[in-house]
Amino acid sequence: MRQAHSVEQVRAAEADLLATLPDGALMARAASGLATAVIDLLGGAYGRRVLLLVGSGDNGGDTLFAGALLARRGAQVTAVLLADHPHAAGLAALRASGGTTCPAAGFTPPAGLDVVVDGIVGIGGRPGLRPDAVAVLSRLTGLPMVAVDVPSGLSVDTGEIDGAHVRADLTVTFGTHKPCHVLYPAALHCGAVVVVDLGLDLPEPVLEVLQPADVAALLPVPAPAAHKYTRGVVGLRTGAAYPGAGLLSAAGANCGLAGMVRHVGPDEVGNQVRAAHPEVVLGPGRVQAWVVGSGGGEDAGTELATALADGVPVVVDADALAHVRPTPGAPADPPLVLTPHAGELARMLDMRRDQVEARPWHFARHAAREFGAVVLLKGRRTVVCDPDGRTRVTTTGTPWLGTAGAGDVLAGLIGALAAAGLGPYDAASVGSWLHGAAATRASADGPIVATDVARALPGVVRDLRGQAQ
């Protein structure tokens, strides 16, 4: 499991570790890891031209000591000093190793630079950058950028953007991921992220990112004596406004993870579902989870009420989301998984879409508490929030997944996982991971449609099972 920790958690863990180490030992570890990452990026150090952007505090110290190590390996290192009082020992080490410095005022980039190292602001900095830093960065456009711990100017704990910031090609972070490394929109500006292990003893993370082994461990697997009913029955209640959505929801549910799929809806939709998926059973009956809302229509509220009366978990999508009522301070009964995109969540919270897109984690957590439900906010980095505060971020997927009907496939898939026995939080986060992985598999870096994603799901599950055995 990849984990992300808050600034407060990291600072506390660093303080505990510092109490057991000689002075400078922790910074030496960080600087060594940073220098190694820069050398790996460049394919060597000798003769390379490296520019350091150095702010104050420990972040500047890490950068200066890494620069000293690079200079000793034969790199030509220049540091632009963006602080009145840079880290004294780091500055001395850089100069002793043959590195040079220059002020920010009137800065002109040296010729032939191979890489720029952003050590302007560390994890304790506020969002945005000072004008002098912005002026220096404006003269470095197009050069490879390595950020130290986090790209300067981003909101570390929220993943939000407020003001000027660095856009990194590589971020070398220390001890653990931070929220900005995995949450959009900030993650878009972190590039590849490398974690340097500092030996920190960290608490429970504020964010989790599932990895293939985690998903494989959570997948529902039939017992030796299983049959279709013990494996779970997922029910679909879809509308006639967009009958294709019902078909796609059925395709996601009919991926094989549940024992049976049952469809309840208008005859014209049911007949199309049966023609496309002859395994699906039409008509009411007992289920272990419902999926409601795909296909929309005026009856979405009635269909939701009927599904809720069964007392089993309900995945609420599309038009049905407008009929979910808040239960602040109390869990929804029965359990709900809400699957809005940013526009739908904005309507549910009486906000603007751009507000939700700028602060996805904030509003997904707020909605999870407000509705007492697991909230899966769809996006390039889908966020899954539980009312108890837990959050998982999905990093699988491809921009080609932004296609009509993909959300209907996802809703059906989550319903199948819930019917097969996963709790709402696991069903939503595992479903999102599988959905993204299937899209990547189907796409092969080319265009896809939603049915391609559904068809790829069994292959993704088989691969995961094979890796786990």
Side-chain angles (χ1 to χ4, degrees):
M1 186 87 70
R2 184 182 300 166
Q3 300 179 334
H5 292 81
S6 69
V7 172
E8 181 180 2
Q9 290 176 320
V10 172
R11 290 297 196 210
E14 287 178 342
D16 290 342
L17 183 58
L18 281 168
T20 69
L21 295 175
D23 287 347
L26 190 60
M27 186 168 287
R29 290 183 189 177
S32 176
L34 173 59
T36 298
V38 172
I39 291 170
D40 288 345
L41 176 67
L42 297 176
Y46 187 81
R48 304 304 198 274
R49 296 175 181 267
V50 180
L51 183 71
L52 312 178
L53 306 181
V54 181
S56 60
D58 289 346
N59 188 258
D62 295 336
T63 307
L64 288 165
F65 277 115
L69 293 172
L70 292 169
R72 286 197 216 104
R73 294 284 296 272
Q76 299 179 45
V77 182
T78 302
V80 182
L81 303 181
L82 288 158
D84 294 333
H85 302 288
H87 193 279
L91 186 58
L94 176 69
R95 287 172 171 162
S97 301
T100 60
T101 63
C102 67
F107 168 74
T108 299
L113 285 174
D114 293 297
V115 70
V116 180
V117 180
D118 160 36
I120 304 170
V121 181
I123 61 173
R126 296 178 180 177
L129 293 172
R130 296 187 331 191
D132 57 344
V134 173
V136 169
L137 287 166
S138 70
R139 296 179 175 91
L140 299 170
T141 303
L143 289 168
M145 182 72 68
V146 176
V148 180
D149 220 354
V150 296
S152 296
L154 298 180
S155 179
V156 179
D157 275 346
T158 68
E160 297 165 15
I161 294 174
D162 184 14
H165 58 86
V166 167
R167 293 168 175 80
D169 300 287
L170 170 69
T171 296
V172 182
T173 195
F174 306 123
T176 180
H177 286 83
K178 284 74 180 180
C180 67
H181 297 140
V182 296
L183 288 167
Y184 268 35
L188 184 65
H189 304 285
C190 292
V193 180
V194 173
V195 179
V196 176
D197 184 11
L198 298 181
L200 301 180
D201 184 10
L202 292 159
E204 288 297 307
V206 295
L207 293 172
E208 293 180 332
V209 179
L210 293 178
Q211 303 300 293
D214 305 313
V215 178
L218 288 167
L219 279 174
V221 179
H227 54 76
K228 61 186 177 183
Y229 294 114
T230 60
R231 292 187 58 207
V233 180
V234 55
L236 310 176
R237 291 184 172 272
T238 68
Y242 302 96
L247 284 169
L248 292 167
S249 185
N254 198 36
C255 62
L257 289 170
M260 181 191 292
V261 181
R262 184 183 297 280
H263 181 270
V264 179
D267 288 344
E268 61 267 34
V269 180
N271 291 335
Q272 292 180 55
V273 168
R274 181 167 54 189
H277 307 286
E279 306 91 347
V280 175
V281 176
L282 302 184
R286 187 174 179 181
V287 301
Q288 279 69 56
W290 281 108
V291 180
V292 183
S294 298
E298 297 178 355
D299 295 331
T302 302
E303 294 291 350
L304 177 60
T306 304
L308 292 173
D310 268 2
V312 299
V314 180
V315 180
V316 187
D317 190 38
D319 282 0
L321 290 165
H323 301 279
V324 178
R325 297 293 170 255
T327 60
D333 185 19
L336 302 180
V337 177
L338 312 182
T339 60
H341 56 58
E344 290 165 333
L345 187 60
R347 289 191 290 273
M348 294 171 71
L349 298 176
D350 194 25
M351 306 294 293
R352 298 192 315 272
R353 180 176 187 137
D354 64 308
Q355 291 175 303
V356 174
E357 289 174 335
R359 307 181 69 191
W361 187 28
H362 170 83
F363 286 110
R365 284 185 296 177
H366 173 67
R369 294 190 298 266
E370 185 74 6
F371 293 96
V374 171
V375 172
L376 181 152
L377 177 56
K378 291 178 282 197
R380 184 63 185 88
R381 288 279 174 94
T382 291
V383 178
V384 179
C385 294
D386 191 271
D388 67 11
R390 290 178 296 164
T391 299
R392 286 176 179 158
V393 181
T394 303
T395 56
T396 59
T398 165
W400 294 108
L401 186 52
T403 185
D408 300 304
V409 173
L410 175 60
L413 170 59
I414 295 170
L417 290 164
L422 293 189
Y425 182 62
D426 285 340
S429 49
V430 169
S432 179
W433 193 99
L434 292 173
H435 188 248
T440 300
R441 181 188 182 109
S443 166
D445 203 27
I448 52 173
V449 294
T451 50
D452 298 329
V453 179
R455 292 191 191 103
L457 284 168
V460 170
V461 173
R462 281 193 296 271
D463 288 350
L464 284 172
R465 293 282 301 140
Q467 295 168 14
Q469 293 173 349

